[in-house]
Amino acid sequence: MKTTDYITVTIDRLPKGYVFTYADFTNEVNKKEAVIKALNRMAVSGKIAKLAKGKYYKPEQTVFGRLQPNQFQVVKDLLEDDGKAIGYLTGYSIFNELGLTTQLSNTIQIGRNEIRPVLQREQYTIKFIKQKNTINKENIPLLQLLDAIRFIKKIPDTTIASACLRLLSLLKKRSEKDMATMVRLSQKYPPSTRALLGALLDEAGIFQYQEALRKNLNPITTYKLSGVASILKTTQKWNLI
């Protein structure tokens, strides 16, 4: 089978919005340059779309125009390496998914141990946030929650009070094991994150982690979160104002 024919057949089998590179074809086609040329020709013809240099996707056409790949597909090469998690969607990228805001953003934020310069892929701006904890597939949902607590002031189109109510709902759904892991992970977050987590857990009736959360907090430092006292009863204990 010719290189172009093989690539065409393979792409036809891919789901809409799937992002791929020439490397997805090298197991069967070992002529890298021929594959790249074939993909570029297909991009020019409109059969596939180009996301960034060397990255393509199978577009889905609707009455409203061409749909973009979902955010995971856009940055999946920055989230996993040979099946191992090296990063995760966070910040603006996850606030909507967690139900903290209805607003969507063209900025994709990624938590990683090693951050990289800002990237641009089609209309998406990709930014990186330093994560000091080890990242694995099991703790990513907990890191996403901790990031939401950390960046609560930056959640768009909502108030701190409304975000706290939603975070309370999300925390109550977590198991006791998850709570213990979150408290451990929070030790590598700023003190303000631990203070707000403590107040949220108090409100949820979870008191066994108070000492672990308070032990490294400066008793004279305050953390300004406008409106938080209207939702959480123990803000004074955690120096939230």
Side-chain angles (χ1 to χ4, degrees), residues 86-95 107-118 126-133 135 143 147-148 150-151 154 189-190:
I86 58 172
Y88 62 97
L89 292 172
T90 189
Y92 299 130
S93 310
I94 210 71
F95 293 152
T107 297
I108 301 177
Q109 293 177 294
I110 296 174
R112 281 180 50 138
N113 298 138
E114 300 293 333
I115 61 174
R116 296 178 49 169
V118 175
I126 303 164
K127 297 183 177 180
F128 298 87
I129 295 172
K130 177 75 171 179
Q131 175 54 253
K132 295 181 179 179
N133 287 289
I135 299 167
L143 294 174
D147 287 349
R150 177 185 177 185
F151 297 114
K154 297 183 178 181
Y189 276 74

Side-chain angles (χ1 to χ4, degrees), residues 56-68:
Y56 310 85
Y57 65 96
K58 185 176 176 180
E60 181 176 356
Q61 296 291 341
T62 72
V63 293
F64 302 105
R66 189 174 69 190
L67 293 183
Q68 301 295 322

Side-chain angles (χ1 to χ4, degrees), residues 162-173:
S162 295
C164 282
L165 283 173
R166 178 58 183 160
L167 286 167
L168 273 171
S169 174
L170 293 169
L171 289 171
K172 287 176 181 178
K173 294 176 182 177

Side-chain angles (χ1 to χ4, degrees), residues 93-111:
S93 310
I94 210 71
F95 293 152
N96 178 271
E97 187 175 317
L98 290 176
L100 290 161
T101 182
T102 57
Q103 197 169 107
L104 297 171
S105 175
N106 283 338
T107 297
I108 301 177
Q109 293 177 294
I110 296 174

Side-chain angles (χ1 to χ4, degrees), residues 9-241:
V9 169
T10 303
I11 290 174
D12 285 342
R13 294 172 179 167
L14 295 175
K16 300 290 177 84
Y18 182 85
V19 174
F20 53 90
T21 73
Y22 74 86
D24 288 270
F25 305 92
T26 54
N27 287 337
E28 298 289 340
V29 182
N30 296 314
K31 299 177 181 179
K32 175 181 172 182
E33 289 186 11
V35 172
I36 293 173
K37 287 180 180 178
L39 291 173
N40 284 332
R41 284 196 300 270
M42 290 180 183
V44 171
S45 71
K47 182 174 178 59
I48 61 175
K50 197 167 186 177
L51 177 68
K53 184 178 180 180
K55 296 188 180 299
Y56 310 85
Y57 65 96
K58 185 176 176 180
E60 181 176 356
Q61 296 291 341
T62 72
V63 293
F64 302 105
R66 189 174 69 190
L67 293 183
Q68 301 295 322
N70 66 45
Q71 292 192 353
F72 176 81
Q73 283 293 323
V74 172
V75 298
K76 63 184 179 180
D77 57 306
L78 304 171
L79 305 180
E80 293 185 1
D81 183 21
D82 197 23
K84 179 182 177 183
I86 58 172
Y88 62 97
L89 292 172
T90 189
Y92 299 130
S93 310
I94 210 71
F95 293 152
N96 178 271
E97 187 175 317
L98 290 176
L100 290 161
T101 182
T102 57
Q103 197 169 107
L104 297 171
S105 175
N106 283 338
T107 297
I108 301 177
Q109 293 177 294
I110 296 174
R112 281 180 50 138
N113 298 138
E114 300 293 333
I115 61 174
R116 296 178 49 169
V118 175
L119 299 174
Q120 194 73 33
R121 290 183 179 175
E122 277 212 350
Q123 84 272 28
Y124 293 109
T125 300
I126 303 164
K127 297 183 177 180
F128 298 87
I129 295 172
K130 177 75 171 179
Q131 175 54 253
K132 295 181 179 179
N133 287 289
T134 299
I135 299 167
N136 57 59
K137 292 181 179 179
E138 289 71 31
N139 70 15
I140 285 175
L142 306 181
L143 294 174
Q144 289 171 331
L145 278 173
L146 285 169
D147 287 349
I149 293 171
R150 177 185 177 185
F151 297 114
I152 193 168
K153 291 182 180 180
K154 297 183 178 181
I155 300 175
D157 196 31
T158 191
T159 63
I160 289 175
S162 295
C164 282
L165 283 173
R166 178 58 183 160
L167 286 167
L168 273 171
S169 174
L170 293 169
L171 289 171
K172 287 176 181 178
K173 294 176 182 177
R174 288 291 164 183
S175 67
E176 186 174 337
K177 180 182 177 182
D178 284 347
M179 285 292 100
T181 302
M182 274 191 76
V183 170
R184 175 178 58 79
L185 294 170
S186 75
Q187 301 304 315
K188 292 187 178 181
Y189 276 74
S192 58
T193 303
R194 297 198 299 279
L196 180 52
L197 176 60
L200 287 165
L201 293 182
D202 277 356
E203 193 67 28
I206 303 169
F207 304 111
Q208 61 265 46
Y209 304 110
Q210 291 186 20
E211 184 179 347
L213 289 168
R214 288 170 64 87
K215 66 180 180 180
N216 293 322
L217 295 179
N218 188 327
I220 63 172
T221 301
T222 58
Y223 312 101
K224 189 172 182 179
L225 291 172
S226 179
V228 71
S230 66
I231 301 299
L232 307 179
K233 301 182 185 70
T234 60
T235 52
Q236 189 172 0
K237 182 176 81 174
W238 295 96
N239 287 351
L240 301 171
I241 61 173

